[in-house]
Coordinates of all heavy atoms in Angstrom, one line a residue:
M1243 N -65.9 -93.4 33.1 CA -65.0 -92.7 33.9 C -63.7 -92.3 33.1 O -63.3 -93.1 32.2 CB -64.6 -93.6 35.1 CG -63.6 -92.9 36.0 SD -63.1 -93.9 37.4 CE -64.5 -93.7 38.5
D1244 N -63.3 -91.2 33.4 CA -62.1 -90.7 32.7 C -61.0 -90.2 33.7 O -61.4 -89.5 34.6 CB -62.5 -89.5 31.8 CG -61.3 -89.0 31.0 OD1 -60.7 -89.8 30.3 OD2 -61.1 -87.8 31.1
I1245 N -59.8 -90.7 33.6 CA -58.8 -90.4 34.5 C -57.7 -89.6 33.8 O -57.2 -90.1 32.7 CB -58.2 -91.6 35.2 CG1 -59.3 -92.3 36.0 CG2 -57.0 -91.3 36.1 CD1 -58.8 -93.6 36.6
K1246 N -57.2 -88.5 34.4 CA -56.1 -87.8 33.8 C -55.0 -87.8 34.9 O -55.3 -87.6 36.1 CB -56.5 -86.4 33.5 CG -57.4 -86.4 32.3 CD -57.6 -85.0 31.7 CE -58.4 -84.9 30.5 NZ -59.1 -86.0 30.0
V1247 N -53.8 -88.0 34.4 CA -52.6 -87.9 35.4 C -51.8 -86.7 34.9 O -51.4 -86.6 33.7 CB -51.8 -89.1 35.4 CG1 -50.6 -89.0 36.3 CG2 -52.6 -90.3 35.8
C1248 N -51.5 -85.8 35.8 CA -50.8 -84.5 35.4 C -49.3 -84.9 35.1 O -48.7 -85.5 35.9 CB -50.9 -83.5 36.5 SG -50.0 -82.0 36.1
I1249 N -48.9 -84.4 34.0 CA -47.5 -84.6 33.6 C -46.8 -83.2 33.4 O -45.8 -83.0 32.7 CB -47.2 -85.5 32.4 CG1 -48.0 -84.9 31.2 CG2 -47.6 -86.9 32.7 CD1 -47.5 -85.5 29.9
G1250 N -47.5 -82.2 34.0 CA -46.9 -80.8 34.0 C -45.5 -80.9 34.7 O -45.3 -81.9 35.4
S1251 N -44.7 -79.9 34.6 CA -43.3 -80.0 35.0 C -43.2 -80.3 36.5 O -42.4 -81.1 37.0 CB -42.5 -78.8 34.6 OG -43.1 -77.7 35.0
S1252 N -44.1 -79.6 37.3 CA -44.0 -79.8 38.8 C -44.4 -81.3 39.1 O -43.7 -82.0 39.9 CB -44.9 -78.8 39.4 OG -45.0 -79.1 40.8
C1253 N -45.4 -81.8 38.6 CA -45.9 -83.1 38.9 C -44.9 -84.2 38.3 O -44.6 -85.2 38.9 CB -47.3 -83.4 38.3 SG -48.5 -82.5 39.2
H1254 N -44.3 -83.8 37.1 CA -43.4 -84.7 36.5 C -42.2 -84.9 37.5 O -41.7 -86.1 37.7 CB -42.9 -84.1 35.2 CG -41.8 -84.9 34.6 ND1 -42.0 -86.2 34.0 CD2 -40.5 -84.7 34.5 CE1 -40.9 -86.6 33.5 NE2 -39.9 -85.8 33.8
L1255 N -41.7 -83.8 38.1 CA -40.6 -83.9 39.0 C -40.9 -84.7 40.2 O -40.1 -85.3 40.9 CB -40.1 -82.5 39.4 CG -39.4 -81.7 38.3 CD1 -39.1 -80.3 38.8 CD2 -38.1 -82.4 37.9
R1256 N -42.2 -84.7 40.6 CA -42.6 -85.4 41.8 C -43.0 -86.8 41.5 O -43.5 -87.5 42.4 CB -43.7 -84.7 42.5 CG -43.2 -83.3 43.0 CD -44.4 -82.5 43.5 NE -44.1 -81.1 43.6 CZ -44.2 -80.4 44.7 NH1 -44.6 -81.0 45.8 NH2 -44.0 -79.2 44.7
G1257 N -42.8 -87.3 40.3 CA -43.0 -88.7 40.1 C -44.3 -89.1 39.3 O -44.8 -90.2 39.5
S1258 N -44.8 -88.2 38.5 CA -46.1 -88.6 37.8 C -45.9 -89.8 36.9 O -46.8 -90.5 36.7 CB -46.7 -87.4 37.1 OG -45.8 -86.8 36.2
Y1259 N -44.7 -90.0 36.4 CA -44.4 -91.2 35.6 C -44.7 -92.5 36.3 O -45.4 -93.4 35.8 CB -43.0 -91.2 35.1 CG -42.7 -92.2 34.1 CD1 -43.2 -92.2 32.8 CD2 -41.9 -93.3 34.4 CE1 -42.9 -93.2 31.9 CE2 -41.6 -94.3 33.5 CZ -42.1 -94.3 32.3 OH -41.9 -95.3 31.4
D1260 N -44.3 -92.5 37.6 CA -44.6 -93.7 38.4 C -46.1 -93.9 38.6 O -46.6 -95.0 38.6 CB -43.9 -93.5 39.8 CG -42.4 -93.6 39.7 OD1 -41.9 -94.3 38.8 OD2 -41.8 -93.0 40.6
I1261 N -46.7 -92.8 38.8 CA -48.2 -92.8 39.1 C -48.9 -93.3 37.8 O -49.8 -94.1 37.9 CB -48.7 -91.4 39.5 CG1 -48.0 -90.9 40.8 CG2 -50.3 -91.5 39.8 CD1 -48.0 -91.8 42.0
I1262 N -48.5 -92.9 36.6 CA -49.1 -93.4 35.4 C -48.9 -94.9 35.3 O -49.9 -95.6 35.0 CB -48.4 -92.7 34.2 CG1 -48.9 -91.3 34.1 CG2 -48.8 -93.5 32.9 CD1 -48.3 -90.5 32.9
N1263 N -47.7 -95.4 35.6 CA -47.5 -96.8 35.6 C -48.4 -97.6 36.6 O -48.9 -98.6 36.3 CB -46.0 -97.2 35.8 CG -45.2 -96.9 34.5 OD1 -45.8 -97.0 33.4 ND2 -44.0 -96.5 34.7
L1264 N -48.4 -97.1 37.8 CA -49.2 -97.7 38.8 C -50.7 -97.7 38.4 O -51.4 -98.7 38.6 CB -49.1 -96.9 40.2 CG -47.8 -97.1 40.9 CD1 -47.7 -96.2 42.1 CD2 -47.7 -98.6 41.4
M1265 N -51.1 -96.6 37.8 CA -52.5 -96.5 37.4 C -52.8 -97.5 36.3 O -53.9 -98.2 36.3 CB -52.8 -95.0 36.9 CG -54.2 -94.7 36.6 SD -55.3 -94.8 38.0 CE -55.0 -93.2 38.7
K1266 N -51.9 -97.6 35.3 CA -52.1 -98.6 34.2 C -52.3 -100.0 34.8 O -53.2 -100.7 34.4 CB -50.9 -98.5 33.3 CG -51.0 -97.6 32.1 CD -49.8 -97.9 31.2 CE -49.5 -96.7 30.4 NZ -48.2 -96.6 29.9
D1267 N -51.4 -100.3 35.7 CA -51.4 -101.7 36.3 C -52.7 -101.9 37.1 O -53.3 -103.0 37.0 CB -50.2 -101.9 37.2 CG -48.9 -102.0 36.4 OD1 -49.0 -102.1 35.1 OD2 -47.8 -101.9 37.0
A1268 N -53.0 -100.9 37.9 CA -54.2 -101.1 38.7 C -55.5 -101.2 37.9 O -56.3 -102.0 38.2 CB -54.3 -99.9 39.7
L1269 N -55.6 -100.5 36.8 CA -56.8 -100.6 36.0 C -56.8 -102.0 35.3 O -57.9 -102.6 35.3 CB -56.7 -99.5 34.9 CG -57.0 -98.0 35.3 CD1 -56.7 -97.1 34.2 CD2 -58.4 -97.9 35.9
K1270 N -55.7 -102.4 34.9 CA -55.6 -103.8 34.3 C -56.0 -104.8 35.3 O -56.8 -105.7 35.0 CB -54.2 -104.0 33.8 CG -54.2 -105.0 32.6 CD -52.8 -105.0 32.0 CE -52.9 -105.2 30.5 NZ -51.7 -104.9 29.8
E1271 N -55.4 -104.8 36.5 CA -55.6 -105.8 37.5 C -57.1 -105.9 37.9 O -57.6 -106.9 38.3 CB -54.8 -105.5 38.8 CG -53.4 -106.0 38.7 CD -52.5 -105.3 39.7 OE1 -53.0 -104.9 40.8 OE2 -51.3 -105.3 39.5
N1272 N -57.7 -104.7 37.8 CA -59.2 -104.7 38.2 C -60.1 -104.8 37.0 O -61.3 -104.6 37.1 CB -59.5 -103.4 39.0 CG -58.8 -103.5 40.3 OD1 -59.3 -104.1 41.3 ND2 -57.7 -102.8 40.5
G1273 N -59.5 -105.2 35.8 CA -60.4 -105.4 34.6 C -61.0 -104.1 34.1 O -62.1 -104.1 33.5
L1274 N -60.4 -102.9 34.5 CA -61.0 -101.7 34.1 C -60.3 -101.0 32.9 O -60.7 -99.9 32.5 CB -61.0 -100.7 35.3 CG -61.8 -101.1 36.5 CD1 -61.5 -100.2 37.7 CD2 -63.3 -101.1 36.2
D1275 N -59.3 -101.6 32.4 CA -58.5 -100.9 31.3 C -59.3 -100.7 30.0 O -59.0 -99.9 29.3 CB -57.2 -101.6 31.1 CG -57.3 -103.1 30.9 OD1 -58.2 -103.7 31.4 OD2 -56.5 -103.7 30.1
E1276 N -60.4 -101.5 29.9 CA -61.2 -101.3 28.7 C -62.2 -100.2 28.8 O -62.6 -99.6 27.9 CB -61.9 -102.6 28.3 CG -61.1 -103.8 28.1 CD -60.5 -103.8 26.7 OE1 -61.3 -103.5 25.7 OE2 -59.3 -104.1 26.5
T1277 N -62.7 -100.1 30.1 CA -63.8 -99.2 30.3 C -63.4 -97.8 30.9 O -64.2 -96.8 30.7 CB -64.8 -99.8 31.3 OG1 -64.1 -100.3 32.4 CG2 -65.6 -100.9 30.7
V1278 N -62.3 -97.7 31.5 CA -61.8 -96.4 32.1 C -60.7 -95.9 31.2 O -59.7 -96.5 30.9 CB -61.3 -96.6 33.5 CG1 -60.8 -95.3 34.1 CG2 -62.4 -97.2 34.4
G1279 N -61.0 -94.7 30.7 CA -60.0 -94.0 29.9 C -58.9 -93.3 30.7 O -59.2 -92.7 31.7
M1280 N -57.6 -93.4 30.4 CA -56.6 -92.7 31.1 C -55.8 -91.9 30.1 O -55.4 -92.4 29.0 CB -55.7 -93.6 31.9 CG -54.8 -92.8 32.7 SD -53.5 -93.8 33.6 CE -52.5 -94.4 32.3
S1281 N -55.5 -90.7 30.4 CA -54.6 -89.9 29.6 C -53.8 -88.9 30.5 O -54.0 -88.8 31.7 CB -55.5 -89.1 28.6 OG -56.4 -88.3 29.3
A1282 N -52.9 -88.3 29.8 CA -52.0 -87.3 30.5 C -52.6 -86.0 30.4 O -53.3 -85.6 29.4 CB -50.6 -87.4 29.9
A1283 N -52.4 -85.1 31.4 CA -52.9 -83.8 31.4 C -51.7 -82.8 31.7 O -50.8 -83.2 32.4 CB -54.0 -83.6 32.4
F1284 N -51.8 -81.6 31.2 CA -50.8 -80.6 31.5 C -51.3 -79.7 32.5 O -52.2 -78.9 32.3 CB -50.3 -79.9 30.3 CG -49.5 -80.7 29.4 CD1 -50.0 -81.3 28.2 CD2 -48.2 -80.9 29.7 CE1 -49.2 -82.1 27.4 CE2 -47.3 -81.7 28.9 CZ -47.9 -82.3 27.8
C1285 N -50.8 -79.8 33.7 CA -51.1 -78.9 34.9 C -52.6 -78.8 35.2 O -53.4 -78.3 34.4 CB -50.5 -77.5 34.7 SG -50.5 -76.7 36.3
L1286 N -52.9 -79.4 36.3 CA -54.3 -79.3 36.8 C -54.5 -78.2 37.8 O -55.5 -78.1 38.5 CB -54.7 -80.7 37.4 CG -54.6 -81.9 36.4 CD1 -54.8 -83.2 37.1 CD2 -55.7 -81.7 35.4
G1287 N -53.5 -77.3 37.9 CA -53.6 -76.2 38.8 C -53.3 -76.4 40.3 O -53.6 -75.5 41.1
H1288 N -52.7 -77.5 40.6 CA -52.4 -77.8 42.0 C -50.9 -78.1 42.1 O -50.5 -79.1 42.9 CB -53.2 -78.9 42.5 CG -54.7 -78.6 42.7 ND1 -55.2 -78.2 43.9 CD2 -55.6 -78.5 41.7 CE1 -56.5 -78.0 43.6 NE2 -56.8 -78.2 42.4
C1289 N -50.0 -77.4 41.5 CA -48.6 -77.7 41.4 C -47.9 -77.9 42.7 O -47.0 -78.7 42.8 CB -47.9 -76.7 40.5 SG -48.7 -76.3 39.0
G1290 N -48.3 -77.1 43.7 CA -47.6 -77.1 45.0 C -48.0 -78.3 45.8 O -47.4 -78.5 46.9
D1291 N -48.9 -79.1 45.4 CA -49.5 -80.1 46.3 C -49.1 -81.6 45.9 O -49.7 -82.5 46.4 CB -51.0 -80.1 46.2 CG -51.6 -78.7 46.6 OD1 -50.9 -78.0 47.3 OD2 -52.7 -78.4 46.1
G1292 N -48.0 -81.7 45.2 CA -47.6 -83.1 44.8 C -48.3 -83.5 43.5 O -49.1 -82.7 42.9
V1293 N -48.1 -84.7 43.1 CA -48.7 -85.2 41.8 C -50.2 -85.1 41.9 O -50.9 -85.6 42.9 CB -48.3 -86.6 41.5 CG1 -48.9 -87.1 40.2 CG2 -46.8 -86.7 41.4
S1294 N -50.8 -84.5 40.9 CA -52.3 -84.4 40.8 C -52.9 -85.3 39.8 O -52.3 -85.5 38.7 CB -52.7 -83.0 40.5 OG -52.2 -82.1 41.5
I1295 N -54.0 -85.8 40.1 CA -54.8 -86.6 39.1 C -56.2 -86.1 39.1 O -56.6 -85.4 40.0 CB -54.8 -88.1 39.4 CG1 -55.5 -88.4 40.6 CG2 -53.4 -88.7 39.5 CD1 -55.7 -90.0 40.9
K1296 N -56.9 -86.4 38.0 CA -58.3 -85.9 37.9 C -59.1 -87.2 37.6 O -58.8 -87.9 36.6 CB -58.4 -84.9 36.8 CG -59.7 -84.2 36.8 CD -59.6 -83.0 35.9 CE -60.9 -82.2 35.9 NZ -61.0 -81.2 34.8
V1297 N -60.1 -87.4 38.4 CA -61.0 -88.6 38.2 C -62.4 -87.9 37.8 O -63.0 -87.3 38.7 CB -61.1 -89.5 39.4 CG1 -62.1 -90.6 39.1 CG2 -59.7 -90.1 39.7
D1298 N -62.8 -88.0 36.6 CA -63.9 -87.3 36.1 C -63.7 -85.8 36.4 O -62.7 -85.2 36.0 CB -65.2 -87.9 36.6 CG -65.5 -89.2 35.9 OD1 -65.0 -89.4 34.8 OD2 -66.2 -90.0 36.5
D1299 N -64.6 -85.2 37.2 CA -64.4 -83.8 37.5 C -63.7 -83.4 38.8 O -63.5 -82.3 39.1 CB -65.8 -83.1 37.6 CG -66.4 -83.0 36.2 OD1 -65.7 -83.0 35.2 OD2 -67.7 -83.0 36.2
Q1300 N -63.2 -84.5 39.5 CA -62.6 -84.3 40.8 C -61.1 -84.3 40.7 O -60.5 -85.3 40.2 CB -63.1 -85.4 41.7 CG -62.7 -85.1 43.1 CD -63.4 -86.1 44.1 OE1 -63.8 -87.1 43.7 NE2 -63.4 -85.8 45.3
V1301 N -60.4 -83.3 41.2 CA -59.0 -83.3 41.2 C -58.5 -83.8 42.5 O -58.9 -83.3 43.6 CB -58.4 -81.8 40.9 CG1 -56.9 -81.8 41.1 CG2 -58.8 -81.3 39.6
I1302 N -57.5 -84.7 42.5 CA -57.0 -85.3 43.7 C -55.5 -85.0 43.7 O -54.8 -85.3 42.7 CB -57.2 -86.8 43.8 CG1 -58.7 -87.1 43.8 CG2 -56.6 -87.3 45.1 CD1 -59.1 -88.1 42.8
S1303 N -55.0 -84.3 44.7 CA -53.6 -83.9 44.7 C -52.8 -84.7 45.8 O -53.4 -85.3 46.6 CB -53.4 -82.4 45.0 OG -54.1 -81.7 44.0
G1304 N -51.5 -84.6 45.6 CA -50.6 -85.3 46.6 C -50.6 -86.8 46.5 O -50.5 -87.5 47.4
V1305 N -50.7 -87.3 45.2 CA -50.7 -88.7 45.0 C -49.2 -89.2 45.0 O -48.4 -88.6 44.3 CB -51.4 -89.1 43.7 CG1 -51.4 -90.6 43.5 CG2 -52.7 -88.5 43.6
T1306 N -48.9 -90.2 45.8 CA -47.6 -90.8 45.8 C -47.7 -92.3 45.6 O -48.7 -92.9 45.6 CB -46.9 -90.5 47.2 OG1 -47.7 -91.3 48.2 CG2 -46.9 -89.1 47.6
K1307 N -46.5 -92.9 45.4 CA -46.4 -94.3 45.3 C -47.0 -95.0 46.5 O -47.6 -96.0 46.5 CB -45.0 -94.8 45.1 CG -44.5 -94.6 43.7 CD -43.2 -95.3 43.4 CE -42.0 -94.5 44.0 NZ -40.7 -95.0 43.6
E1308 N -46.7 -94.3 47.7 CA -47.1 -94.9 49.0 C -48.7 -94.9 49.2 O -49.2 -95.8 49.7 CB -46.5 -94.2 50.1 CG -45.0 -94.4 50.3 CD -44.1 -93.9 49.1 OE1 -44.5 -92.8 48.6 OE2 -43.1 -94.5 48.8
N1309 N -49.3 -93.8 48.8 CA -50.8 -93.7 49.0 C -51.6 -94.0 47.8 O -52.8 -93.9 47.8 CB -51.1 -92.3 49.6 CG -51.0 -91.2 48.5 OD1 -50.8 -91.4 47.4 ND2 -51.0 -89.9 49.0
F1310 N -50.9 -94.5 46.7 CA -51.6 -94.7 45.5 C -52.8 -95.7 45.6 O -53.9 -95.5 45.2 CB -50.7 -95.2 44.4 CG -51.5 -95.6 43.1 CD1 -51.8 -94.6 42.2 CD2 -51.9 -96.9 42.9 CE1 -52.6 -94.9 41.1 CE2 -52.6 -97.2 41.7 CZ -53.0 -96.2 40.9
N1311 N -52.5 -96.9 46.3 CA -53.6 -97.9 46.4 C -54.8 -97.4 47.1 O -55.9 -97.7 46.7 CB -53.0 -99.1 47.1 CG -52.1 -99.9 46.2 OD1 -52.2 -99.8 45.0 ND2 -51.3 -100.7 46.8
E1312 N -54.6 -96.6 48.2 CA -55.7 -96.0 48.9 C -56.5 -95.1 48.1 O -57.7 -95.1 48.1 CB -55.1 -95.3 50.2 CG -56.0 -94.9 51.2 CD -55.4 -93.9 52.2 OE1 -54.2 -94.1 52.5 OE2 -56.1 -92.9 52.5
I1313 N -55.8 -94.3 47.3 CA -56.5 -93.3 46.5 C -57.2 -94.0 45.4 O -58.4 -93.7 45.0 CB -55.5 -92.3 45.9 CG1 -55.1 -91.3 47.1 CG2 -56.0 -91.5 44.8 CD1 -54.1 -90.3 46.8
F1314 N -56.6 -95.0 44.8 CA -57.2 -95.8 43.7 C -58.5 -96.4 44.2 O -59.6 -96.4 43.6 CB -56.3 -96.8 43.2 CG -56.8 -97.6 42.0 CD1 -56.7 -97.0 40.7 CD2 -57.4 -98.8 42.1 CE1 -57.2 -97.7 39.6 CE2 -57.9 -99.5 41.0 CZ -57.8 -98.9 39.7
S1315 N -58.5 -97.1 45.4 CA -59.7 -97.7 46.0 C -60.8 -96.6 46.2 O -61.9 -96.9 45.9 CB -59.5 -98.4 47.3 OG -58.3 -99.1 47.3
R1316 N -60.4 -95.6 46.8 CA -61.4 -94.6 47.2 C -62.0 -93.9 46.1 O -63.2 -93.7 46.0 CB -60.7 -93.6 48.2 CG -61.8 -92.7 48.8 CD -61.4 -91.6 49.6 NE -60.3 -91.8 50.5 CZ -59.6 -90.8 51.1 NH1 -60.0 -89.6 51.0 NH2 -58.6 -91.1 51.9
Y1317 N -61.2 -93.5 45.1 CA -61.8 -92.6 44.1 C -62.1 -93.4 42.8 O -63.0 -92.9 42.0 CB -60.8 -91.5 43.7 CG -60.6 -90.5 44.9 CD1 -59.6 -90.6 45.7 CD2 -61.6 -89.5 45.1 CE1 -59.4 -89.7 46.8 CE2 -61.4 -88.6 46.1 CZ -60.4 -88.7 47.0 OH -60.2 -87.9 48.0
V1318 N -61.5 -94.5 42.6 CA -61.8 -95.2 41.3 C -62.7 -96.4 41.6 O -63.8 -96.5 41.1 CB -60.5 -95.6 40.6 CG1 -60.8 -96.4 39.3 CG2 -59.6 -94.4 40.3
L1319 N -62.2 -97.3 42.4 CA -63.0 -98.6 42.7 C -64.3 -98.3 43.3 O -65.3 -98.8 42.9 CB -62.2 -99.5 43.5 CG -61.0 -100.2 42.9 CD1 -60.3 -101.1 43.9 CD2 -61.3 -100.9 41.6
N1320 N -64.3 -97.4 44.3 CA -65.6 -97.1 45.0 C -66.6 -96.5 44.0 O -67.8 -96.6 44.2 CB -65.3 -96.1 46.1 CG -65.1 -96.8 47.4 OD1 -65.2 -98.0 47.5 ND2 -64.7 -96.0 48.4
T1321 N -66.1 -95.8 43.0 CA -67.0 -95.1 42.1 C -67.6 -96.0 41.0 O -68.7 -95.9 40.7 CB -66.3 -93.9 41.5 OG1 -65.7 -93.2 42.6 CG2 -67.3 -93.0 40.8
V1322 N -66.7 -96.9 40.5 CA -67.2 -97.7 39.4 C -68.0 -98.9 39.9 O -68.8 -99.5 39.2 CB -66.0 -98.3 38.5 CG1 -65.4 -97.2 37.7 CG2 -64.9 -99.0 39.4
N1323 N -67.7 -99.3 41.2 CA -68.5 -100.5 41.7 C -69.8 -100.1 42.3 O -70.1 -99.0 42.7 CB -67.6 -101.2 42.8 CG -66.5 -101.9 42.1 OD1 -66.5 -102.3 41.0 ND2 -65.4 -102.0 42.9
Ligands
FES1428 S1 -47.9 -79.4 37.1 FE1 -49.3 -80.9 37.9 S2 -50.8 -79.6 38.8 FE2 -49.5 -78.2 37.9

C-alpha cells in the first residue's frame, strides 16, 4: 500500500502538515510504518474539498484532524487487514 498526502498550497493551508503527522503516528502505532509507504504529493486535483490524501489509487478528500481516525480505519486498516 502506498499513501500520499497532498501538500499543495490549498491543502497545506487547510492543515496537511497535521495530517502527515497523524498519519505517521497512526502507521507506527499499528505496526505499518515498515510496510506502508507514505510520501507527499503536490495537488491531487481536489483543492476545494479540504486536505486530500491518496491511498493506492483512491483519492479521499476532506481529511481533518477530527475525522482522521475514521478515515484511517476505513481506508487503511480495513484494506491491509
Ligand atoms: S492542493 Fe491538495 S488537492 Fe490541490
Side-chain angles (χ1 to χ4, degrees):
M1243 178 182 281
D1244 180 55
I1245 297 176
K1246 292 194 175 3
V1247 179
C1248 182
I1249 55 162
S1251 48
S1252 173
C1253 289
H1254 175 74
L1255 289 175
R1256 292 170 199 240
S1258 54
Y1259 185 73
D1260 290 333
I1261 303 302
I1262 287 178
N1263 283 332
L1264 286 171
M1265 186 65 81
K1266 265 190 205 155
D1267 291 348
L1269 289 173
K1270 206 171 215 163
E1271 277 163 23
N1272 290 282
L1274 296 171
D1275 51 328
E1276 301 278 316
T1277 46
V1278 176
M1280 186 186 67
S1281 55
F1284 286 103
C1285 196
L1286 297 171
H1288 292 262
C1289 312
D1291 305 333
V1293 178
S1294 297
I1295 67 173
K1296 193 171 180 189
V1297 177
D1298 288 334
D1299 288 333
Q1300 188 171 20
V1301 175
I1302 303 128
S1303 298
V1305 185
T1306 64
K1307 282 192 278 190
E1308 288 69 32
N1309 68 13
F1310 177 82
N1311 285 340
E1312 190 191 323
I1313 286 178
F1314 186 81
S1315 320
R1316 190 186 319 167
Y1317 294 98
V1318 181
L1319 290 182
N1320 268 355
T1321 311
V1322 289
N1323 289 330

